[in-house]
Amino acid sequence: SQKIEQNSEALNIQEGKTATLTCNYTNYSPAYLQWYRQDPGRGPVFLLLIRENEKEKRKERLKVTFDTTLKQSLFHITASQPADSATYLCALDLFSGGYNKLIFGAGTRLAVHP
Amino acid sequence: DVKVTQSSRYLVKRTGEKVFLECVQDMDHENMFWYRQDPGLGLRLIYFSYDVKMKEKGDIPEGYSVSREKKERFSLILESASTNQTSMYLCASSTSQGVEGEQYFGPGTRLTVT
């Protein structure tokens, strides 16, 4: 069966450390993979997109890797801050027939402690 | 900035009522989506639309219908609300220009059906 999994347990880290979140999937062949941030009571906000032929993508303190052999993406936040506390969602971007359809994971809650 | 607005942040309806959720985007996006979000299940796609008057079923369309009479507006209709439709409803939009389909979300409507 098709599945997309993120660590359901909250990730608690100390300010200044690197947070690493994992997204694993089975039986999908995404063209792209996206990461979103969601704060309580709000809609998700797009952060980064990585293509299937890219190994790594960076944006400021964020880094995403995409391993299509392992069927896994890792999302890193370096020098984490309490303001980074939120739920992070990964989404498989299944582009076909000219359309994009996103399949979302359930998200991982990150708490950064001062 | 892309802006996606939803008609209500909170809504309480009774079982059997007809419910309308409205979504408006101001970026001239071709694509619009309706999701519901439940704890532990992530975002699940209900319906989407790639053009005015066009609609496609998502993964969980049962009990819902949609309407897209204008490009900027996408409505979700619950014909006869039931308690299992209590959820957070999120609208999103994206452009068809290019192949990378990052989506822009509204703030969500928390619907309670009693």
Side-chain angles (χ1 to χ4, degrees):
Chain A
S1 65
Q2 296 176 313
K3 275 196 294 188
I4 174 169
E5 291 180 327
Q6 295 184 255
N7 199 336
S8 58
E9 291 182 14
L11 180 64
N12 290 283
I13 65 165
Q14 210 65 31
E15 183 176 7
K17 301 290 186 186
T18 295
T20 298
L21 286 70
T22 305
C23 177
N24 295 297
Y25 60 93
T26 56
N27 295 324
Y28 284 112
S29 297
Y32 314 96
L33 192 144
Q34 302 185 21
W35 283 89
Y36 289 78
R37 169 185 172 139
Q38 187 173 24
D39 292 288
R42 294 179 177 267
V45 174
F46 172 77
L47 295 174
L48 275 173
L49 176 149
I50 187 165
R51 299 180 180 85
E52 61 179 338
N53 60 354
E54 294 178 317
K55 295 291 184 190
E56 184 179 297
K57 193 92 168 266
R58 291 176 186 262
K59 179 182 175 184
E60 297 172 353
R61 294 185 296 112
L62 308 180
K63 184 178 89 171
V64 172
T65 63
F66 191 14
D67 189 325
T68 55
T69 302
L70 289 179
K71 295 188 181 296
Q72 181 183 75
S73 175
L74 299 178
F75 178 81
H76 306 271
I77 305 175
T78 58
S80 59
Q81 304 165 0
D84 295 326
S85 299
T87 296
Y88 291 86
L89 310 174
C90 71
L92 306 182
D93 190 335
L94 305 179
F95 180 77
S96 74
Y99 303 132
N100 294 87
K101 180 181 174 184
L102 295 184
I103 307 295
F104 282 88
T108 298
R109 191 163 56 86
L110 171 67
V112 181
H113 302 283
Chain B
D1 267 359
V2 178
K3 197 154 186 194
V4 180
T5 56
Q6 295 183 228
S7 49
S8 306
R9 292 301 306 274
Y10 301 94
L11 212 50
V12 180
K13 295 291 182 180
R14 294 195 181 276
T15 301
E17 278 193 86
K18 191 168 185 175
V19 182
F20 292 88
L21 302 182
E22 301 281 332
C23 175
V24 177
Q25 51 93 5
D26 66 358
M27 283 303 293
D28 202 36
H29 282 172
E30 296 81 6
N31 311 321
M32 296 188 76
F33 308 84
W34 274 107
Y35 296 88
R36 63 177 283 176
Q37 186 175 29
D38 300 288
L41 294 179
L43 278 77
R44 291 181 291 166
L45 182 63
I46 304 171
Y47 266 97
F48 57 101
S49 168
Y50 289 116
D51 202 351
V52 176
K53 296 195 186 294
M54 292 187 66
K55 59 186 179 184
E56 297 283 344
K57 290 181 181 179
D59 299 316
I60 51 163
E62 296 78 19
Y64 304 94
S65 62
V66 291
S67 171
R68 193 163 181 204
E69 296 296 319
K70 293 185 177 182
K71 189 175 185 181
E72 68 271 17
R73 190 178 296 269
F74 193 34
S75 302
L76 179 70
I77 303 149
L78 287 66
E79 294 291 340
S80 177
S82 63
T83 55
N84 63 11
Q85 292 179 311
T86 291
S87 186
M88 170 72 93
Y89 289 88
L90 290 158
C91 174
S93 71
S94 70
T95 181
S96 290
Q97 306 303 314
V99 298
E100 297 174 357
E102 61 263 36
Q103 295 185 6
Y104 297 85
F105 284 83
T109 295
R110 186 164 293 281
L111 173 67
T112 302
V113 182
T114 61

